[in-house]
Amino acid sequence: MSFQTNISHEVIRSSKLEEKAKELKPELFRKKIIPEHIVEVVENEEKMHGWEINNVKPASELSDEVLGKDNSLILDFGDHQVGYLSLSITPVGSPPDAPLHMRLTFGEMPVEMAESFSTYDGWISSSWLQEETIHVDVLPSELKLPRRYSFRYLKIEVLDTSPKYKVSFQHVAVETITSGDEGQVEAFVHDDEELVEIDRVSIKTLQDCMQDVFEDGPKRDRRLWLGDLRLQAMANYATFKNNDLVKRNLYQFAAVPNQNGQVSANLFVEPSLIPDDTFLFDYSLFFTTTLYDYYQATKDIETLKELWPIAYRQVEIGLERLDDKGIVQDDDSWWSFIDWHPDLNKQSPSQAILIYTLKRAILLAQELKEDTKIVELENHLEKVMEATHKYLWKDDIGFFVSGDKEQISWATQVWMVIAGVLDEAKSRELLLQVLDTQPEVEMNTPYMHHHLVEALFEVGLKKEATDWMRMYWGGMLRDGADTFWELYNPKDKTFSPYGNHLINSYCHAWSCTPTYLIRKYLN
Amino acid sequence: MSFQTNISHEVIRSSKLEEKAKELKPELFRKKIIPEHIVEVVENEEKMHGWEINNVKPASELSDEVLGKDNSLILDFGDHQVGYLSLSITPVGSPPDAPLHMRLTFGEMPVEMAESFSTYDGWISSSWLQEETIHVDVLPSELKLPRRYSFRYLKIEVLDTSPKYKVSFQHVAVETITSGDEGQVEAFVHDDEELVEIDRVSIKTLQDCMQDVFEDGPKRDRRLWLGDLRLQAMANYATFKNNDLVKRNLYQFAAVPNQNGQVSANLFVEPSLIPDDTFLFDYSLFFTTTLYDYYQATKDIETLKELWPIAYRQVEIGLERLDDKGIVQDDDSWWSFIDWHPDLNKQSPSQAILIYTLKRAILLAQELKEDTKIVELENHLEKVMEATHKYLWKDDIGFFVSGDKEQISWATQVWMVIAGVLDEAKSRELLLQVLDTQPEVEMNTPYMHHHLVEALFEVGLKKEATDWMRMYWGGMLRDGADTFWELYNPKDKTFSPYGNHLINSYCHAWSCTPTYLIRKYLN
């Protein structure tokens, strides 16, 4: 994600909380992976982005390949990998009388091997495109690249050697890293192979995003976002059970709120812990719900006690946006994420997320026996619920609306159901009407699709939920996903909110939730 | 230089000689240099390659410059530098939410700042063009580039940051290295400021080429060539007096001859001592003459004794190329360098170099009291001289000719004079006739121009020699040289034997000899 913001803000840093986060620095599990095949990328209109990978020969024959100026080859590592590349380069011919100049291009998808990065014209930084040009002065050489890459395919291009020598490549390997311990994941047995595969790929997606923090995507943004963290934590409890990593990330957010006490939408952890200057209405509230989920998974009352003031403050900040009527104000002064959709009005889904959060905040306050706060929160909840029914629910059309123009979006209905604004029967009816009438303002991200499926499961529409998962995540699998993607619109497969699909992340945390959904609702 | 060769050869390695070379590894002198100005490069037809550098502001104001996507600036370090670059990069704006992608371009000449390296279309490797593209994941960053560069100008281009931040640069510096100790150079005092300047720039050129070995050029080929070594050693005796470096390089050549005992035209010293598979008639003979010069400068009889067998063997190999008449055979099976000139016939200048070498070999044999060899060498010299007069001198036209087509070149006449084939008066007459009639096959490199000037001095044409030096090296100065160039043709200033002047070396060892000539003949 990337937002243009210019809110002036001050960081109120708590060294105590930051120190606790540091102590929870995760162990990284490492594995050496070697490529499986030398492949070629060819046009095929039927395939994702119009490109298909074909095997040419086993990668064990790599060292027989001799590359001179303008020669290239593509290696396939067999699956998505996150880690550090190393390779040996040997000169062939006369002693090398000029440096080797080469380009390495890393791709999660065939399209990254096929389309030149110089064609990139999106609005977010081209610096995310994973490509290095390197001069090697002395050959033979053992190259260890210092940057981490996220990829399945590696293109090696020799830009120049000299007329007197060429090169061959050996010992190409990636040392993968993750803080997700495979040994912790329980086997998932199910008759339906597609569900088993969706579960497997969800876990792989989560694993590749589990690094020093829960990253949103190992290719891009490689960063801790609250909205992603919430979903990753849910999937984590069902699989890797690295609960300390969730705890660490909660402490990190809690350590650097702004002068208003609001936690940032995302954090940088290098060169030191720095909150981004982006604040999102929904993401700040998710600090509280993520703490709630963490407490449910761990019953770690110490952490709850220590982070509760921050969690409570997020709810207060959410409530401060309510107008006199008890509705979240919609104007140009705020950002709420909800989904990547240029036309989506954020008011009503944000209202629903506030309700969803209030309910969990009350449960935490009860756990902590914060009696005054319980009463306060319950009063707020009652008012907000009332206002929601009064002003946002349109009984004549049977939908919640959002914003001045009374927009009817999938996001609004889904979040109202998740927030439990209606009873289960009415919620079920609402969702069936959504599926039936297909409101125009649709969902664009796996993040939003996750919430639809969760809502469907929650109201007992198990078949619809499962079918949707098969359609959407199963669709990604049929379109060649090794890990689930940041963005997938079955009706517009090249969709990118960034203006160019080359920059999309094809291993993205918010897409990893089917394992959570499957293991919770279908096991 | 670069030659396409495919002679199969075997290296006969002497660990003993190699070990001696290793023990002579030079101390490197280091100096930190910071840029003087931020400059711009503008078109100007009057200037070298059509480009001129103008100062924009002092480099002390660099940190005020804020660069975003597609912004760039050029720094001028005030003089030619060889060394390692370091710089600090600071983000400006929001916390950096994407890597910095930048390009650094190093140029010895304004043209390298002005013309994109992607336009390079020469036949030798583009990998010599000094350019790096770098991703920086974490900012602020202290960047230390691992490769050594040869440059005066540095272009910093920001390829991308993100819409949320830009960058500024601080502490840009180069740590220069050389094995030439300035403290050893005696001041040169002369009324003629142009000669003083030519001397100064010669020394700077030599100094920047003096590294772990005497390199031909620090930009390209960064390598020990025998032809360059010979001239560098001469200039070195007159200036830096790092005689151990000459000794080291002689031992390196001697350590790795081929199965025939011939020393290579050039050596690689990384990853280990490797002779190139290029053998040049003239360069192999220069092993012997360089040993002769070294002995004259040092009277180091131990080294002479140890390397004499190799030196003698080079003479034998040279003699083996003589036909029955006593003339160096000219066919497609050999390479002799002499000059970069596509039309130059190499026979007669090579004949002259054989004579030049025989004379010095005889003096070395006398020093070593190798009586049998003295007689043998003297017999050979007599025959070769006789044949040269008989077959190559054309009395009717007053020139030496070369090859089947009896080519009259500057190179032939110059080398015949240096070799002392004629007496001094006749030599003087010959050179005056060359200057007067301007034979068609001219000289292309400072290397060949050096030999003309040396020849003029040797026969007492001091004014002509000095005028030529002013015209040629002075011409480079007037055309903006900070160090003397690999190639300079006053009639065709963009001349490159490589098909593109971007790849030319603008600090080249074989161009450093005026300090030797001035200090020997004009002091």
Side-chain angles (χ1 to χ4, degrees), chain A residues 84 103 126 171 173 207 222 292 440 442 463 480 494 521:
Chain A
Y84 297 91
R103 184 189 290 133
S126 59
H171 312 124
Q207 188 181 26
R222 308 188 211 144
Y292 170 83
E440 199 186 314
E442 295 191 317
K463 183 179 181 305
T494 61
Y521 298 104

Side-chain angles (χ1 to χ4, degrees), chain A residues 272-487:
Chain A
S272 58
L273 185 66
I274 298 169
D276 192 17
D277 55 9
T278 298
F279 296 88
L280 298 171
F281 180 87
D282 49 352
Y283 276 34
S284 294
L285 290 172
F286 287 149
F287 178 85
T288 312
T289 74
T290 306
L291 179 61
Y292 170 83
D293 295 336
Y294 171 77
Y295 181 71
Q296 293 308 318
T298 62
K299 299 295 170 190
D300 173 359
I301 189 78
E302 292 309 313
T303 295
L304 174 56
K305 277 183 186 161
E306 190 154 27
L307 299 185
W308 166 249
I310 316 279
Y312 183 73
R313 181 65 196 131
Q314 305 318 303
V315 180
E316 286 182 328
I317 292 167
L319 291 168
E320 284 165 13
R321 260 210 92 76
L322 293 176
D323 63 14
D324 296 342
K325 296 188 292 182
I327 299 292
V328 168
Q329 293 175 70
D330 188 25
D331 55 35
D332 290 343
S333 72
W334 77 322
W335 279 95
S336 188
F337 175 65
I338 312 298
D339 194 12
W340 267 126
H341 199 305
D343 304 324
L344 177 64
N345 183 280
K346 311 293 176 79
Q347 184 183 49
S348 289
S350 298
Q351 179 91 359
I353 287 169
L354 179 60
I355 293 167
Y356 173 84
T357 308
L358 276 167
K359 288 182 173 178
R360 280 149 186 80
I362 290 165
L363 293 169
L364 291 179
Q366 286 166 351
E367 209 64 42
L368 293 165
K369 303 189 176 46
E370 293 260 15
D371 295 340
T372 325
K373 290 213 166 80
I374 295 170
V375 175
E376 275 177 27
L377 289 167
E378 281 177 343
N379 285 343
H380 282 299
L381 178 61
E382 197 185 325
K383 269 188 228 161
V384 178
M385 283 286 273
E386 210 177 286
T388 305
H389 280 283
K390 187 166 171 189
Y391 299 108
L392 302 179
W393 174 254
K394 297 291 157 180
D395 209 43
D396 49 341
I397 49 173
F399 279 123
F400 288 96
V401 297
S402 182
D404 282 350
K405 296 185 179 160
E406 305 203 336
Q407 182 185 74
I408 299 166
S409 67
W410 289 57
T412 295
Q413 320 313 319
V414 164
W415 270 111
M416 288 294 180
V417 169
I418 291 175
V421 175
L422 305 176
D423 66 23
E424 192 175 319
K426 282 195 176 158
S427 289
R428 194 182 306 126
E429 202 180 307
L430 175 60
L431 288 180
L432 286 172
Q433 205 195 329
V434 168
L435 297 182
D436 187 44
T437 62
Q438 307 262 332
E440 199 186 314
V441 181
E442 295 191 317
M443 304 173 296
N444 264 336
T445 59
Y447 176 78
M448 197 55 230
H449 281 263
H450 158 82
H451 292 110
L452 169 66
V453 176
E454 186 176 35
L456 291 168
F457 274 127
E458 279 295 311
V459 299
L461 291 170
K462 193 166 162 176
K463 183 179 181 305
E464 286 78 357
T466 312
D467 284 351
W468 199 272
M469 211 155 50
R470 282 186 217 279
M471 178 281 291
Y472 193 73
W473 281 267
M476 283 193 241
L477 289 182
R478 288 184 292 277
D479 279 329
D482 299 304
T483 45
F484 290 126
W485 305 334
E486 175 190 19
L487 299 148

Side-chain angles (χ1 to χ4, degrees), chain B residues 208-436:
Chain B
D208 284 359
C209 294
M210 284 174 75
Q211 301 293 339
D212 187 59
V213 297
F214 281 103
E215 294 185 10
D216 58 338
K219 168 182 162 186
R220 207 210 78 244
D221 305 337
R222 308 187 211 144
R223 197 149 86 238
L224 178 58
W225 283 89
L226 245 169
D228 299 78
L229 170 61
R230 170 173 163 267
L231 298 188
Q232 281 168 296
M234 288 174 178
N236 168 71
Y237 303 134
T239 56
F240 295 105
K241 303 176 190 71
N242 190 344
N243 300 345
D244 273 355
L245 189 63
V246 183
K247 182 176 170 184
R248 165 174 161 85
N249 293 176
L250 284 169
Y251 270 94
Q252 285 170 322
F253 276 107
V256 286
N258 69 8
Q259 71 281 13
N260 194 30
Q262 186 170 11
V263 298
S264 174
N266 70 89
L267 301 178
F268 303 91
V269 292
E270 292 287 351
S272 59
L273 185 65
I274 299 168
D276 191 18
D277 55 10
T278 298
F279 296 88
L280 299 172
F281 180 86
D282 48 353
Y283 275 33
S284 294
L285 291 171
F286 287 148
F287 178 85
T288 312
T289 75
T290 306
L291 179 61
Y292 170 83
D293 295 336
Y294 171 78
Y295 181 71
Q296 293 308 319
T298 62
K299 299 295 169 190
D300 172 359
I301 190 79
E302 292 310 312
T303 295
L304 174 57
K305 276 183 187 164
E306 192 155 25
L307 299 185
W308 167 249
I310 316 278
Y312 184 74
R313 180 67 195 130
Q314 305 317 304
V315 181
E316 287 182 328
I317 291 166
L319 292 168
E320 284 165 13
R321 259 212 91 75
L322 294 175
D323 62 14
D324 295 343
K325 296 187 294 183
I327 300 292
V328 168
Q329 292 175 70
D330 188 25
D331 55 36
D332 291 341
S333 73
W334 78 324
W335 279 94
S336 189
F337 175 65
I338 312 297
D339 194 11
W340 268 126
H341 199 307
D343 304 324
L344 176 65
N345 182 279
K346 312 292 177 81
Q347 184 183 49
S348 289
S350 299
Q351 180 92 1
I353 288 168
L354 180 59
I355 293 167
Y356 173 85
T357 308
L358 275 168
K359 288 180 171 178
R360 279 149 187 80
I362 290 165
L363 293 170
L364 291 178
Q366 285 167 350
E367 208 65 40
L368 293 165
K369 304 188 176 48
E370 291 260 14
D371 295 340
T372 325
K373 291 214 164 76
I374 296 170
V375 177
E376 274 176 29
L377 289 168
E378 282 177 341
N379 285 341
H380 282 299
L381 178 61
E382 197 184 326
K383 269 188 226 162
V384 178
M385 284 285 272
E386 209 177 285
T388 305
H389 280 281
K390 188 167 172 189
Y391 299 108
L392 303 179
W393 174 253
K394 298 291 156 178
D395 211 42
D396 48 342
I397 50 173
F399 280 123
F400 289 96
V401 297
S402 182
D404 282 350
K405 296 184 179 162
E406 305 203 335
Q407 182 185 76
I408 299 166
S409 65
W410 288 58
T412 296
Q413 319 313 318
V414 163
W415 270 111
M416 288 294 180
V417 169
I418 290 175
V421 175
L422 305 176
D423 65 26
E424 192 175 318
K426 282 193 174 160
S427 288
R428 194 182 307 127
E429 202 179 310
L430 174 60
L431 288 180
L432 286 172
Q433 205 195 331
V434 167
L435 296 181
D436 187 45

Side-chain angles (χ1 to χ4, degrees), chain A residues 3-4 94 96-97 99 125-128 131-133 135 137 147 160-161 163-164 222 268 276-278, chain B residues 3-4 94 96-97 99 125-128 131-133 135 137 147 160-161 163-164 222-223 268 276-278:
Chain A
F3 294 89
Q4 288 269 34
S94 292
D97 59 337
S125 182
S126 59
S127 62
W128 290 117
E131 174 180 275
E132 308 295 343
T133 54
H135 287 94
D137 288 322
R147 304 180 73 214
D160 217 334
T161 51
K164 290 189 69 178
R222 308 188 211 144
F268 304 91
D276 192 17
D277 55 9
T278 298
Chain B
F3 294 90
Q4 288 270 35
S94 293
D97 60 336
S125 182
S126 59
S127 63
W128 289 116
E131 174 181 274
E132 306 296 343
T133 55
H135 287 94
D137 288 322
R147 303 179 73 214
D160 217 333
T161 51
K164 291 189 68 178
R222 308 187 211 144
R223 197 149 86 238
F268 303 91
D276 191 18
D277 55 10
T278 298

